Amino acid sequence: MTSLRRIELSDIKLNMIFSAPVYFDDGKYMFLAEGKEVKPYHLAALKKWSVPYLLSRGQAIEQGEGSNIERMTGFDKRRLAQAKMTGEDSDDIEELEEL
């Protein structure tokens, strides 16, 4: 298993996406899920909570690698369409649409 790599907060930028989950400095609690974008509220939380650094087994992904992001996150357009048709939980549908 690959060890966790330290990510300095100065390296965390708005809209970044990582190839693996990103954890708080304790290595136990997840800060950001694999394939999710860093949003303004993520950056604000890091500053507010004085988090010294983050940890991940992955790396930042270039935004142009959209097809790779979809594959890594398990995104499935058919699942999204089916969820809309069957009326699955609206939170699940919104999460799929964000991908």
Side-chain angles (χ1 to χ4, degrees), residues 7-14 16 18 38 43 46 54:
I7 304 169
E8 299 300 327
L9 294 188
S10 60
D11 294 335
I12 304 294
K13 307 290 183 217
L14 188 62
M16 284 182 97
F18 288 87
V38 174
L43 297 174
L46 291 172
L54 297 171

Side-chain angles (χ1 to χ4, degrees), residues 17 51 57 71 91 98:
I17 297 173
V51 177
R57 289 184 173 85
R71 189 182 79 246
D91 290 339
E98 285 179 10

Side-chain angles (χ1 to χ4, degrees), residues 25-92:
D25 55 321
D26 62 3
K28 181 177 179 182
Y29 295 102
M30 188 168 44
F31 168 72
L32 188 68
E34 171 186 339
K36 293 290 188 177
E37 273 188 7
V38 174
K39 304 284 186 179
Y41 57 85
H42 291 120
L43 297 174
L46 291 172
K47 185 175 182 177
K48 180 178 180 178
W49 298 333
S50 301
V51 177
Y53 57 88
L54 297 171
L55 299 167
S56 181
R57 289 184 173 85
Q59 59 188 10
I61 301 171
E62 294 295 324
Q63 290 290 358
E65 298 178 18
S67 60
N68 291 336
I69 293 167
E70 290 173 358
R71 189 182 79 246
M72 287 185 312
T73 59
F75 180 76
D76 185 342
K77 292 179 183 177
R78 287 177 290 191
R79 182 172 169 228
L80 174 59
Q82 182 181 18
K84 286 183 176 181
M85 288 175 34
T86 61
E88 283 185 25
D89 189 322
S90 62
D91 290 339
D92 292 340

